[in-house]
Amino acid sequence: MKPFWESEYLNKNRSVFGKQSKEIEEIVSKLTDNAKILDVGCGDGRNALYLAAHGFHVDAFDISQNAIEKLDYIKNQAGLNINTYICDVPDFDFRYNYDLIIMHGVLQFIEKEKQPKIIEMLKKHTNNGGYHIIALFTDEEPIPDDLKDAMVGVFKKDEIKGYYTDWHTEMFQSYKFNDEHENGLKHCHALEKIIVRKP
Protein backbone atom coordinates (compact mmCIF):
# COMPACT_ATOMS: atom_id res chain seq x y z
CA MET A 1 0.00 0.00 0.00
CA LYS A 2 1.37 3.40 -0.98
CA PRO A 3 1.60 6.11 1.71
CA PHE A 4 -1.34 8.51 1.84
CA TRP A 5 0.68 11.43 0.51
CA GLU A 6 1.21 9.84 -2.89
CA SER A 7 -2.40 10.46 -3.90
CA GLU A 8 -2.49 13.84 -2.15
CA TYR A 9 0.46 15.04 -4.22
CA LEU A 10 -1.87 14.90 -7.23
CA ASN A 11 -3.76 17.90 -5.81
CA LYS A 12 -1.73 20.86 -7.00
CA ASN A 13 -3.82 23.41 -5.07
CA ARG A 14 -2.72 22.60 -1.53
CA SER A 15 0.45 21.60 0.29
CA VAL A 16 0.23 18.09 1.73
CA PHE A 17 2.23 19.01 4.84
CA GLY A 18 1.30 22.67 5.21
CA LYS A 19 3.44 25.77 4.88
CA GLN A 20 7.17 26.07 5.53
CA SER A 21 8.42 25.19 9.00
CA LYS A 22 9.16 27.88 11.55
CA GLU A 23 12.83 26.94 11.80
CA ILE A 24 13.15 27.34 8.02
CA GLU A 25 11.82 30.87 8.30
CA GLU A 26 14.25 31.63 11.13
CA ILE A 27 17.35 30.29 9.36
CA VAL A 28 17.01 32.76 6.48
CA SER A 29 18.67 35.59 8.40
CA LYS A 30 21.69 33.39 9.14
CA LEU A 31 22.43 32.51 5.51
CA THR A 32 24.47 34.50 3.02
CA ASP A 33 22.73 35.83 -0.09
CA ASN A 34 24.40 33.24 -2.34
CA ALA A 35 23.83 30.26 -0.02
CA LYS A 36 23.34 26.83 -1.61
CA ILE A 37 20.60 24.70 -0.08
CA LEU A 38 19.68 21.04 -0.46
CA ASP A 39 16.21 19.81 0.52
CA VAL A 40 16.42 16.03 1.01
CA GLY A 41 13.09 14.27 0.55
CA CYS A 42 11.47 17.59 -0.28
CA GLY A 43 7.93 16.31 -0.85
CA ASP A 44 5.90 18.89 -2.74
CA GLY A 45 8.33 21.61 -1.77
CA ARG A 46 6.93 23.58 1.15
CA ASN A 47 10.43 24.49 2.38
CA ALA A 48 12.21 24.54 -0.98
CA LEU A 49 9.69 26.97 -2.46
CA TYR A 50 9.96 29.33 0.52
CA LEU A 51 13.76 29.41 0.35
CA ALA A 52 13.83 29.83 -3.43
CA ALA A 53 11.45 32.77 -3.06
CA HIS A 54 14.12 34.38 -0.86
CA GLY A 55 16.63 34.11 -3.68
CA PHE A 56 18.74 31.18 -2.47
CA HIS A 57 20.15 28.49 -4.77
CA VAL A 58 17.98 25.46 -4.02
CA ASP A 59 18.37 21.83 -5.05
CA ALA A 60 15.55 19.49 -4.03
CA PHE A 61 14.87 15.82 -4.52
CA ASP A 62 12.35 13.19 -3.56
CA ILE A 63 11.74 9.55 -4.37
CA SER A 64 8.16 10.38 -5.35
CA GLN A 65 7.56 11.28 -8.99
CA ASN A 66 4.18 12.75 -8.02
CA ALA A 67 5.87 15.07 -5.52
CA ILE A 68 8.48 16.36 -7.97
CA GLU A 69 5.96 16.84 -10.77
CA LYS A 70 3.84 18.91 -8.38
CA LEU A 71 6.85 20.93 -7.21
CA ASP A 72 7.89 21.57 -10.81
CA TYR A 73 4.39 22.79 -11.63
CA ILE A 74 4.29 25.15 -8.64
CA LYS A 75 7.79 26.54 -9.15
CA ASN A 76 7.04 27.24 -12.81
CA GLN A 77 3.79 28.99 -11.94
CA ALA A 78 5.65 31.13 -9.39
CA GLY A 79 8.70 31.75 -11.58
CA LEU A 80 11.08 30.21 -9.04
CA ASN A 81 14.37 28.51 -9.81
CA ILE A 82 14.70 25.14 -8.05
CA ASN A 83 16.77 22.27 -9.42
CA THR A 84 14.65 19.17 -8.86
CA TYR A 85 15.49 15.48 -9.06
CA ILE A 86 13.63 12.19 -8.61
CA CYS A 87 15.81 9.81 -6.63
CA ASP A 88 16.21 7.94 -3.36
CA VAL A 89 18.47 9.42 -0.68
CA PRO A 90 21.40 6.96 -1.11
CA ASP A 91 21.39 7.56 -4.87
CA PHE A 92 21.71 11.35 -4.89
CA ASP A 93 24.73 12.48 -6.89
CA PHE A 94 26.49 15.24 -4.95
CA ARG A 95 28.02 17.82 -7.26
CA TYR A 96 28.38 20.59 -4.69
CA ASN A 97 28.76 21.29 -1.02
CA TYR A 98 25.88 23.08 0.67
CA ASP A 99 25.39 25.81 3.26
CA LEU A 100 22.14 24.27 4.48
CA ILE A 101 20.81 20.73 4.18
CA ILE A 102 17.21 20.04 5.22
CA MET A 103 15.97 16.57 6.14
CA HIS A 104 12.37 16.99 7.23
CA GLY A 105 10.58 13.74 8.01
CA VAL A 106 13.00 11.65 5.95
CA LEU A 107 15.39 9.65 8.09
CA GLN A 108 12.75 7.35 9.60
CA PHE A 109 12.06 5.97 6.12
CA ILE A 110 15.68 4.80 5.70
CA GLU A 111 16.83 1.41 7.00
CA LYS A 112 18.82 1.68 10.24
CA GLU A 113 21.93 0.10 8.76
CA LYS A 114 22.04 2.75 6.02
CA GLN A 115 21.51 5.80 8.25
CA PRO A 116 25.11 6.28 9.51
CA LYS A 117 26.61 6.30 6.00
CA ILE A 118 23.95 8.69 4.71
CA ILE A 119 24.36 11.14 7.57
CA GLU A 120 28.14 11.08 7.15
CA MET A 121 27.73 11.73 3.42
CA LEU A 122 25.51 14.73 4.12
CA LYS A 123 27.95 16.04 6.71
CA LYS A 124 30.83 15.67 4.25
CA HIS A 125 29.00 17.74 1.64
CA THR A 126 28.24 20.61 4.01
CA ASN A 127 30.43 23.71 3.94
CA ASN A 128 32.22 24.79 7.09
CA GLY A 129 29.79 26.92 9.05
CA GLY A 130 26.87 25.29 7.27
CA TYR A 131 23.71 23.93 8.87
CA HIS A 132 21.62 20.79 8.99
CA ILE A 133 17.96 21.07 9.94
CA ILE A 134 16.46 17.68 10.75
CA ALA A 135 13.00 16.59 11.84
CA LEU A 136 12.36 12.91 12.52
CA PHE A 137 9.96 10.57 14.27
CA THR A 138 10.98 8.58 17.36
CA ASP A 139 9.57 5.41 18.89
CA GLU A 140 8.11 7.24 21.90
CA GLU A 141 4.76 6.89 20.11
CA PRO A 142 3.67 3.74 18.25
CA ILE A 143 3.97 3.98 14.48
CA PRO A 144 0.51 4.28 12.86
CA ASP A 145 -0.63 1.10 11.14
CA ASP A 146 -0.79 2.73 7.72
CA LEU A 147 2.88 3.80 7.97
CA LYS A 148 4.49 0.72 9.55
CA ASP A 149 5.68 -0.72 6.24
CA ALA A 150 7.34 2.56 5.26
CA MET A 151 8.87 3.70 8.58
CA VAL A 152 11.68 1.16 8.75
CA GLY A 153 14.23 3.37 10.54
CA VAL A 154 12.46 5.10 13.43
CA PHE A 155 14.88 6.69 15.90
CA LYS A 156 15.25 6.25 19.63
CA LYS A 157 14.88 9.30 21.86
CA ASP A 158 17.93 11.58 21.50
CA GLU A 159 19.60 9.14 19.09
CA ILE A 160 20.14 11.79 16.42
CA LYS A 161 22.35 13.80 18.80
CA GLY A 162 24.96 11.07 18.69
CA TYR A 163 25.62 11.73 15.02
CA TYR A 164 26.53 15.38 15.64
CA THR A 165 28.76 15.39 18.70
CA ASP A 166 31.43 17.08 16.54
CA TRP A 167 29.04 19.86 15.45
CA HIS A 168 27.48 22.70 17.43
CA THR A 169 23.85 22.12 18.39
CA GLU A 170 21.90 25.36 17.89
CA MET A 171 18.45 23.98 18.74
CA PHE A 172 16.89 20.73 19.89
CA GLN A 173 13.20 20.04 20.50
CA SER A 174 11.33 16.87 21.41
CA TYR A 175 7.53 16.77 21.52
CA LYS A 176 4.39 14.88 20.55
CA PHE A 177 1.62 16.09 18.29
CA ASN A 178 -1.62 14.95 16.72
CA ASP A 179 -1.90 15.16 12.96
CA GLU A 180 -5.06 14.99 10.86
CA HIS A 181 -4.76 14.71 7.10
CA GLU A 182 -7.06 15.74 4.28
CA ASN A 183 -8.17 12.15 3.69
CA GLY A 184 -9.37 11.74 7.27
CA LEU A 185 -6.33 9.85 8.58
CA LYS A 186 -5.36 10.75 12.13
CA HIS A 187 -1.88 10.17 13.54
CA CYS A 188 -0.08 10.81 16.81
CA HIS A 189 3.66 11.27 16.39
CA ALA A 190 6.69 11.75 18.62
CA LEU A 191 8.94 14.25 16.85
CA GLU A 192 12.45 15.54 17.37
CA LYS A 193 13.90 18.60 15.64
CA ILE A 194 17.54 19.55 15.66
CA ILE A 195 19.56 22.37 14.11
CA VAL A 196 23.31 21.80 14.04
CA ARG A 197 26.17 23.82 12.59
CA LYS A 198 29.41 22.48 11.18
CA PRO A 199 32.53 24.01 12.77
Side-chain angles (χ1 to χ4, degrees):
M1 183 176 69
K2 291 185 177 181
F4 68 88
W5 51 79
E6 277 297 333
S7 59
E8 292 195 23
Y9 285 146
L10 299 175
N11 181 352
K12 293 184 171 60
N13 296 316
R14 62 176 296 275
S15 172
V16 174
F17 299 106
K19 67 176 187 176
Q20 68 277 355
S21 293
K22 181 180 179 183
E23 63 271 16
I24 299 299
E25 296 176 353
E26 293 174 348
I27 201 74
V28 166
S29 63
K30 298 181 179 182
L31 300 173
T32 61
D33 290 343
N34 60 348
K36 289 192 68 65
I37 297 169
L38 177 64
D39 193 348
V40 177
C42 61
D44 55 6
R46 65 192 183 112
N47 293 317
L49 290 162
Y50 177 82
L51 291 164
H54 280 76
F56 298 115
H57 304 283
V58 180
D59 292 343
F61 72 89
D62 199 283
I63 196 171
S64 168
Q65 181 175 338
N66 289 345
I68 295 302
E69 287 179 354
K70 179 177 178 180
L71 175 52
D72 286 343
Y73 172 81
I74 296 171
K75 77 175 186 184
N76 290 335
Q77 291 292 307
L80 296 174
N81 184 22
I82 303 173
N83 300 313
T84 57
Y85 310 88
I86 300 171
C87 70
D88 200 359
V89 178
D91 301 326
F92 183 71
D93 182 19
F94 279 90
R95 301 175 186 175
Y96 315 100
N97 288 348
Y98 293 91
D99 302 296
L100 168 63
I101 296 180
I102 305 163
M103 291 172 280
H104 254 257
V106 176
L107 284 171
Q108 68 266 12
F109 297 108
I110 298 171
E111 293 89 346
K112 296 300 293 183
E113 62 270 17
K114 294 181 180 179
Q115 288 171 354
K117 183 177 180 181
I118 287 171
I119 293 173
E120 284 304 311
M121 177 180 64
L122 296 171
K123 290 171 71 175
K124 175 184 176 182
H125 289 284
T126 303
N127 289 322
N128 292 340
Y131 297 88
H132 285 186
I133 297 180
I134 300 170
L136 54 83
F137 292 158
T138 72
D139 62 2
E140 288 201 289
E141 280 291 327
I143 302 305
D145 288 341
D146 62 297
L147 295 176
K148 281 182 177 178
D149 290 344
M151 287 194 186
V152 294
V154 175
F155 277 60
K156 301 287 187 185
K157 179 177 171 59
D158 295 342
E159 180 183 351
I160 189 61
K161 292 180 179 179
Y163 287 98
Y164 288 97
T165 55
D166 54 338
W167 288 30
H168 175 68
T169 299
E170 305 242 324
M171 183 274 280
F172 180 79
Q173 295 177 343
S174 179
Y175 59 92
K176 298 179 182 181
F177 71 100
N178 293 306
D179 207 6
E180 183 170 358
H181 301 283
E182 190 76 5
N183 56 10
L185 280 174
K186 294 182 180 180
H187 296 148
C188 181
H189 297 299
L191 185 78
E192 289 184 350
K193 288 186 176 183
I194 191 168
I195 301 176
V196 285
R197 189 175 190 186
K198 187 173 183 176

